[in-house]
Amino acid sequence: MTSNFQVDLRGLVDLLSHHLYSSPRVYVRELMQNAVDAVTARHALDPQAEILIRLSASADRVTIEDSGIGLTAAEAHSLLATIGRSSKRGGEHGLETARREFLGQFGIGLLACFVVAREIRVITRSARDPQAAPVEWLATDDGSYTVRELPHDARPEPGTTVVLQARPGAEEWMVPTKVEQLARDYGSLLPYDITFDDGRGGAPRPVTDRPAVWDRAFPTPAARRVALAGHCAQLFGFTPLDTIDLDLPVAGVRGVAYVLPEATSPAHRAGHRVHLKGMLLTDRADNLLPDWAFFVRAVLDTDTLRPTASRENLYDDETLSAVREALGARIRTWLAELAASEPDRLAAFLNVHHLGVKSLARHDADLLGLMLPWLPFETSDGSMSLQEFAAAHTEIHFTRTVEEFRQIAPIAAAHGLGVINAGYTYDADLLALLPTVRPDLKVTELDAGAVTERLDPVPTAAELALASFLSTARTRLQPQGCDVVLRAFQPVSVPALYLDDRQARQERDRTAALDSADSLWTGILGALRGSAPRARLVLNHHNPLIRRIAALSDEALAGTAVESLYGQALLMSQRPLRPADSTLLNRAFLGLLEWATHSADAQEGQQ
């Protein structure tokens, strides 16, 4: 008798192939998964039963045979053609204690094989009912199937054989070499021995490779490291810088994390390799470890984490969140152990992955304290750790941009001002956390006043002699929201230094908004005017050019020269130019050209 499926099979195949599964390759996983679950159920019923799972392929056909629990004719009708039903359910068959060992559901797993097959033939015999005859279940991709009983000698022993016949266009997925490669990829850690036969007459080859390399015994720790490095190279294509054991027995998780040998971006979401009860679930799990652990690639086996509907990723629930936190703690412990006992290995690691440790330390004051002697920072005294820098400076200043640091660092170093470049990722967060680890340190953002105070003052008489010039300079730069001060500093080659801070920038932005606002906002923004310091152009009295400009008798020319100094200092700081700054630069450049050409004409006239 011919019966119809209880679903639209063509629609189901389209759903599986285009929306649920990422690739037809998963059909091999489904075949092995069904076989393993059937054997698990048989073992729960009869612990002495012989275990057999054999996979074979030839041309356009794939066969898998197991010595599992098998099915009766009624179960074949009920289970193989009804989505969501499973031959592994407990209860009535007394298999509840083994239920947690199963990987999936037989019905949808078998029907998923229609992604590559035009015909599925199942010959099965039940171990639960020894008197039941063998059954043949034959289904085609037109949505129909037949069930018939076979003679007892058609399959003398309990178990199941599944034969897939390739659908047109899917033959490539049944090539023996492809099937064997997929079987090894998915099933290397499965708990039962699985073999593969390519039909060429040779002995079947093992698919499984147990125990997992991280669970094997080795004569020495060095031998274990070599074996794990080879495993990493085979799986991920790189030789790890180091290996971290990920062992959470309470959570049913066991595996390793391999440290990348080269730096990678914090934004990179690494794909981790996760096995579920030995079966590969995914090699692209990006939610297994905390985001800060972007410097490792992990491979592990678990029996507690939930798979998604496609069984190709992990379901992000409370259990996974707890496991992710515990695995992160394990990586942190590894760092602490390196810091305590193997500083050379830690230094080699931080030389490549200091960014990842900084990302972790910004949320963990204890780790920051542990890493203070190791984490490198760019400072006005050179590249060094915070601990080294704090030994020389109890008051630490920092800049929020790389450009600002590079402008001020040479001058700060010459005048004993301790400045750290916090323009790199995570550095500002770590400096904000530093006082909680070292309460004796004062950490503040660098401001114009702090720098100016450290620069040498000019003798009063000399500054009074230049009072007229300074008044002209301040008047010229008043529209830019910039004050002018005179100091003596090193290096002599720097004629002028542009300094501002966050408060000055906010005041400048408020003023710009005030200029373009309507009457309502003019009143509001005007009321917000504060006493925030303005930006400063610090003129270097040691610089010969500054002295020559200050000595000019032509007030207009001196003002143009000051505008040029302002523009040059602004460009050296690499800050974005406002429209007003661009206008000033153009005006100063053209003014100097005009003065230079007029001077040349006057000299020619005198000749």
Side-chain angles (χ1 to χ4, degrees), residues 466-485 534-535 537 539 555-556 558-563 566 584 587:
L466 298 177
S468 176
F469 164 71
L470 292 174
S471 176
T472 298
R474 289 169 182 143
T475 300
R476 281 298 187 102
L477 296 185
Q478 171 70 26
Q480 311 304 124
C482 183
D483 196 7
V484 177
V485 296
R534 308 171 75 194
L537 182 68
L539 302 179
E555 183 177 319
T560 300
V562 168
E563 289 181 337
Y566 169 84
L584 177 143
R587 182 174 66 243

Side-chain angles (χ1 to χ4, degrees), residues 338-353:
L338 286 187
S341 59
E342 299 187 71
D344 291 341
R345 287 176 63 196
L346 178 63
F349 167 75
L350 290 177
N351 187 48
V352 179
H353 293 298

Side-chain angles (χ1 to χ4, degrees), residues 9 60-62 110 113-122 136-142 144 146 162-168 174:
L9 184 59
D60 59 351
R61 179 173 297 183
V62 170
L110 187 61
C113 294
F114 277 119
V115 171
V116 297
R118 65 175 176 83
E119 179 184 278
I120 300 175
R121 184 170 182 251
V122 177
E136 178 192 68
W137 182 88
L138 182 64
T140 59
D141 61 0
D142 64 1
S144 65
T146 61
V162 179
V163 182
L164 305 184
Q165 189 70 40
R167 66 189 307 152
M174 296 192 181

Side-chain angles (χ1 to χ4, degrees), residues 367-375 385-387 434 437-438:
L367 181 64
L368 176 60
L370 186 68
M371 291 290 111
L372 278 181
W374 306 101
L375 291 177
S385 71
L386 286 178
Q387 181 166 293
L434 185 57
V437 179
R438 290 282 303 273

Side-chain angles (χ1 to χ4, degrees), residues 23-25 27-28 62 116 170-175 178-179 182:
S23 166
R25 70 198 301 267
Y27 88 93
V28 175
V62 170
V116 297
E171 293 86 357
E172 63 176 301
W173 294 104
M174 296 192 181
V175 173
K178 168 74 77 173
V179 175
L182 292 175

Side-chain angles (χ1 to χ4, degrees), residues 412-600:
H415 293 271
L417 186 66
V419 182
I420 292 179
N421 180 6
Y424 296 120
T425 306
Y426 309 132
D427 284 3
D429 294 334
L430 291 179
L431 290 173
L433 187 63
L434 185 57
T436 64
V437 179
R438 290 282 303 273
D440 57 310
L441 297 178
K442 181 182 179 182
V443 180
T444 58
E445 183 174 356
L446 185 70
D447 60 59
V451 178
T452 306
E453 289 171 6
R454 288 298 186 101
L455 303 181
D456 296 335
V458 176
T460 303
E463 187 161 6
L464 287 175
L466 298 177
S468 176
F469 164 71
L470 292 174
S471 176
T472 298
R474 289 169 182 143
T475 300
R476 281 298 187 102
L477 296 185
Q478 171 70 26
Q480 311 304 124
C482 183
D483 196 7
V484 177
V485 296
L486 185 66
R487 291 289 186 273
F489 57 87
Q490 300 294 330
V492 175
S493 58
V494 177
L497 181 65
Y498 179 83
L499 299 173
D500 70 350
D501 50 35
R502 184 165 52 183
Q503 289 181 313
R505 289 191 289 271
Q506 289 174 346
E507 178 66 16
R508 191 164 61 244
D509 292 342
R510 187 200 62 79
T511 302
L514 182 63
D515 294 339
S516 60
D518 57 25
S519 57
L520 173 62
W521 283 107
T522 297
I524 295 174
L525 292 171
L528 295 176
R529 182 186 298 275
S531 58
R534 308 171 75 194
R536 298 183 184 186
L537 182 68
V538 184
L539 302 179
N540 187 359
H541 190 248
H542 285 330
N543 184 268
L545 176 61
I546 295 297
R547 295 192 176 194
R548 288 197 296 270
I549 292 175
L552 290 173
S553 58
D554 187 335
E555 183 177 319
L557 178 58
T560 300
V562 168
E563 289 181 337
S564 299
L565 289 170
Y566 169 84
Q568 187 265 351
L570 197 61
L571 291 173
M572 290 297 294
S573 70
Q574 299 186 37
R575 289 173 173 81
L577 295 180
R578 299 168 296 164
D581 295 329
S582 299
T583 300
L584 177 143
L585 279 170
N586 288 332
R587 182 174 66 243
F589 177 70
L590 294 175
L592 290 177
L593 283 180
E594 184 175 0
W595 177 83
T597 53
H598 283 178
S599 298

